[in-house]
Amino acid sequence: MSAQSMPRVADVASLKGMALGTLAYSLFAVHDALVKGVIYDLPVMQILFTRSVVIAALCLIFGRGKLIRGLVASPNKSMMLLRAILTLAAWCMYYTAGRELQLAEMTTLYYFAPVLTTILAVIFLKEQLTLARVGAAGIGFFGVIVACNPAGLGLSLPAMLVLAAALCWAVAMILMRTISKTESSLVQIFSLNLFYVLVMGAVSLPFWQGMSTPQIVMVVATGLVGGTAQYLLVDAARLVPASVLGTVEYSALIWSFVFGYLFWREEPTQMVYYGALLVVAAGLMLACNERRGRRVAVA
């Protein structure tokens, strides 16, 4: 391969990874809206259990025996287990807070996770610390503060739950990036949702609530949408660094405002919009810098 073609290959991989990540997080926004549609009537644990049953079943349909053998033989079982625990904790805290916060508010707070991912990627993955990454982290943090305190959210329990969920998700992203180097997407997704099924089943089944047909349709839809989003996200993690993948997470932020207004007529305060703009600006600044730095590195 010629020296001139190498930058083009790197650019194509970077663009593909960012595109997959953007699509994945957009689907996660749809997933969150679907969950919020039933979260007032059904326990969080029951929703996550049913959703994960759908995803695990789909994985078995596509992977069959090869999937089971791959999971049993995987050298990454401990890391996949830790990632499953962290993501489960993140989902539970996030959706519990969703009972009290508007979709736009909780999403803005949660999207501090990409900033945390960038910092953790430097520490654990030895990704280079640059001025742009430090600046993006600072701007993103300030955006969260603007969206939180002036909006009257303060350090309420729901707000703290969302921020704690963001930390768990950021650590899980670092683990996913590491695991993705040697593990297939299907094995990762199946192991994650198998853990959810076992834990959420033990917790939710004794207190199971009957679901109406519309509720069943909504929860099954979360599994279809969420499973697709998970698959795309793992594939994206193979193509771009964790710090870059974290920045495309901001692409779904606008959907939280759109869905919140369309479905629940939620109208965030002006300061939430300002905070969201700062968070998005941090992500875009970091994404542009990473793309420019990748070009220089392969030149």
Side-chain angles (χ1 to χ4, degrees), residues 5-152:
S5 65
M6 290 179 62
R8 294 194 187 97
V9 172
D11 282 346
V12 169
S14 179
L15 287 173
K16 182 180 179 182
M18 294 179 73
L20 289 174
T22 299
L23 180 56
Y25 285 118
S26 296
L27 288 176
F28 275 129
V30 177
H31 170 276
D32 291 349
L34 289 170
V35 172
K36 191 170 174 64
V38 293
I39 203 171
Y40 298 104
D41 302 314
L42 298 173
V44 172
M45 304 298 184
Q46 182 174 331
I47 296 171
L48 289 176
F49 169 76
T50 309
R51 183 206 70 163
S52 296
V53 167
V54 173
I55 298 175
L58 289 173
C59 289
L60 285 173
I61 290 173
F62 288 105
R64 301 183 182 180
K66 183 180 178 181
L67 175 63
I68 301 297
R69 291 191 295 271
L71 178 58
V72 172
S74 174
N76 300 307
K77 287 191 284 290
S78 60
M79 283 197 294
M80 288 192 290
L81 176 61
L82 179 56
R83 181 184 172 230
I85 293 172
L86 289 170
T87 53
L88 178 58
W91 286 123
C92 290
M93 289 187 288
Y94 183 72
Y95 290 125
T96 298
R99 295 175 181 269
E100 305 294 333
L101 301 177
Q102 292 183 0
L103 186 61
E105 292 172 341
M106 60 191 287
T107 306
T108 299
L109 292 173
Y110 188 67
Y111 274 59
F112 185 50
V115 176
L116 294 174
T117 300
T118 299
I119 296 172
L120 293 175
V122 172
I123 298 173
F124 295 106
L125 301 182
K126 307 304 179 184
E127 294 182 6
Q128 185 180 3
L129 181 63
T130 64
L131 181 61
R133 290 180 180 178
V134 174
I139 294 172
F141 178 76
F142 183 66
V144 171
I145 296 299
V146 169
C148 184
N149 289 333

Side-chain angles (χ1 to χ4, degrees), residues 151-236:
L153 301 178
L155 293 179
S156 64
L157 179 59
M160 293 298 293
L161 284 175
V162 174
L163 291 175
L167 176 59
C168 289
W169 180 261
V171 177
M173 285 290 292
I174 298 299
L175 289 171
M176 184 183 70
R177 170 68 176 174
T178 303
I179 298 169
S180 295
K181 295 177 181 178
T182 57
E183 203 63 74
S184 73
S185 300
L186 209 57
V187 167
Q188 287 193 67
I189 296 168
F190 179 68
S191 66
L192 185 71
N193 287 279
L194 180 61
F195 177 80
Y196 287 175
V197 169
L198 295 176
V199 175
M200 294 298 94
V203 174
S204 64
L205 289 181
F207 308 99
W208 191 267
Q209 295 184 16
M211 294 187 287
S212 65
T213 300
Q215 289 173 338
I216 293 174
V217 171
M218 290 277 280
V219 176
V220 170
T222 64
L224 297 174
V225 174
T228 303
Q230 289 178 20
Y231 189 89
L232 293 174
L233 187 62
V234 173
D235 272 2

